[in-house]
């Protein structure tokens, strides 16, 4: 089955209104490539409103959400607030949140379900540590993580994506071999089909971790790589757009 690639930028804790011109440049290029590749930017919560106003129709997302609809949760934001600010998607379960905010699989699943229920597209992140990769248990660990974090409902189709992000590849310049990425993505595809039946074929599996203009084409050529979740190289249009173009060809 052919799945149009999705290249999403994760700006993490970078970006203020001074960066709106970068967002405009990225959205303009995405418009030119419409129909060949899907592009999105997940910016800090404080920037969502201004970014979505600056680039109407271009998908702007958040990087996390609370799984409940409202309540006494100081500092958190819920799906309705993301919608209200102009977001159309959200990342859940990024390893930086699983680690620093002690988010467990079950919690990540509740966040994914809340996002999907509200009509946001969801990118669910999974990935192994260096120790798990070295011990030869990367596929086993990530498959288990995916099984436990997968939303039980609403996940089929292009509104739900999985991002495989090996923790040791994030921000390090190191990436797994082509064979290792292929092995992992094929294992994750099997898990998606086990969970959702034939609908599991429509879920995009993105690769994330040190994706750059120099390695993007090679990564996108791997079977079952349906796009990328890009950190550092998504902050500047001049780095991000060559990656988007590689996905469009
Ligand atoms: P880098 O592209 O900076 O390695 O970050 C990857 C990532 O964590 C995206 O979510």
């Amino acid at each position: 089955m052919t799945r149009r690639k999705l290249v999403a930028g994760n700006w993490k804790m970078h970006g203020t209104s001074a960066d709106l011109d970068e967002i405009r440049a990225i959205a303009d290029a995405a418009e030119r490539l419409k129909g060949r590749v899907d592009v999105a930017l997940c910016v800090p919560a404080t920037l969502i409103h201004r970014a979505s106003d600056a680039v109407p129709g271009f998908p702007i997302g958040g990087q996390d959400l609370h799984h409940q609809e409202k309540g006494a949760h100081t500092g958190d934001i819920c799906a309705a607030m993301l919608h209200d600010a102009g977001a159309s998607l959200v990342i859940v379960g990024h390893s930086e949140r699983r680690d620093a905010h002690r988010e467990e699989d079950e919690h990540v699943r509740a966040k994914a379900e809340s996002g999907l229920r509200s009509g946001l597209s969801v990118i669910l992140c999974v990935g192994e540590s260096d120790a798990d990769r070295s011990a030869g248990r990367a596929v086993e660990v990530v498959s288990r993580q995916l099984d436990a974090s997968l939303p039980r409902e609403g996940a089929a189709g292009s509104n739900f994506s999985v991002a495989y992000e090996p923790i040791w590849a994030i921000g390090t310049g190191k990436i797994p071999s082509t064979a290792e990425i292929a092995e992992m993505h094929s294992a994750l595809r099997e898990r998606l089909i086990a969970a959702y039946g034939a609908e599991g074929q429509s879920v995009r599996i993105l690769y994330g971790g040190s994706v750059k203009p120099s390695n993007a084409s090679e990564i996108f050529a791997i079977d079952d790589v349906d796009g990328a979740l890009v950190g550092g190289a998504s902050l500047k249009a001049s780095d991000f757009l060559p990656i988007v173009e590689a996905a469009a060809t």
Side-chain angles (χ1 to χ4, degrees), residues 122-208:
V122 168
I123 300 176
L124 164 68
C125 302
V126 290
E128 83 281 4
S129 67
D130 203 6
D132 287 330
R133 172 60 66 183
S134 305
R137 49 173 190 249
V139 170
E140 176 199 330
V141 165
V142 177
S143 298
R144 212 180 320 121
Q145 202 182 25
L146 184 71
D147 285 348
S149 327
L150 271 183
R152 298 287 184 261
E153 68 214 33
S158 58
N159 63 340
F160 178 66
S161 309
V162 170
Y164 165 54
E165 300 204 305
I167 297 168
W168 53 272
I170 295 177
T172 59
K174 293 191 249 173
I175 59 166
S177 69
T178 305
E180 286 167 337
I181 296 176
E183 181 192 29
M184 185 65 78
H185 280 233
S186 146
L188 297 182
R189 177 68 60 207
E190 271 178 35
R191 301 316 309 150
L192 288 168
I193 291 168
Y196 304 131
E199 297 269 31
Q201 291 281 11
S202 61
V203 175
R204 291 184 279 206
I205 308 177
L206 318 181
Y207 169 79

Side-chain angles (χ1 to χ4, degrees), residues 40-236:
L41 283 179
C42 295
V43 298
T46 47
L47 194 54
I48 292 173
H49 199 167
R50 272 186 229 179
S52 56
D53 272 359
V55 290
F58 175 82
I60 294 290
Q63 301 170 7
D64 179 48
L65 83 172
H66 195 282
H67 67 280
Q68 290 182 349
E69 287 174 15
K70 59 178 150 186
H73 303 291
T74 303
D76 278 316
I77 54 175
C78 62
M81 293 169 183
L82 287 170
H83 277 290
D84 185 47
S88 56
L89 73 152
V90 66
I91 296 171
V92 298
H94 193 283
S95 58
E96 288 153 11
R97 293 204 61 87
R98 288 178 184 264
D99 178 34
H101 297 264
R102 299 200 201 109
E103 292 185 7
E104 304 292 342
D105 291 335
E106 203 177 314
H107 194 183
V108 170
R109 188 178 82 215
K111 288 178 180 229
E113 287 173 348
S114 173
L116 289 168
R117 218 171 20 244
S118 78
L120 291 168
S121 294
V122 168
I123 300 176
L124 164 68
C125 302
V126 290
E128 83 281 4
S129 67
D130 203 6
D132 287 330
R133 172 60 66 183
S134 305
R137 49 173 190 249
V139 170
E140 176 199 330
V141 165
V142 177
S143 298
R144 212 180 320 121
Q145 202 182 25
L146 184 71
D147 285 348
S149 327
L150 271 183
R152 298 287 184 261
E153 68 214 33
S158 58
N159 63 340
F160 178 66
S161 309
V162 170
Y164 165 54
E165 300 204 305
I167 297 168
W168 53 272
I170 295 177
T172 59
K174 293 191 249 173
I175 59 166
S177 69
T178 305
E180 286 167 337
I181 296 176
E183 181 192 29
M184 185 65 78
H185 280 233
S186 146
L188 297 182
R189 177 68 60 207
E190 271 178 35
R191 301 316 309 150
L192 288 168
I193 291 168
Y196 304 131
E199 297 269 31
Q201 291 281 11
S202 61
V203 175
R204 291 184 279 206
I205 308 177
L206 318 181
Y207 169 79
S210 295
V211 177
K212 309 278 178 231
S214 55
N215 58 22
S217 297
E218 193 187 347
I219 293 170
F220 292 142
I222 302 170
D223 270 355
D224 267 315
V225 172
D226 306 312
L229 185 56
V230 184
S234 70
L235 295 172
K236 294 280 170 225

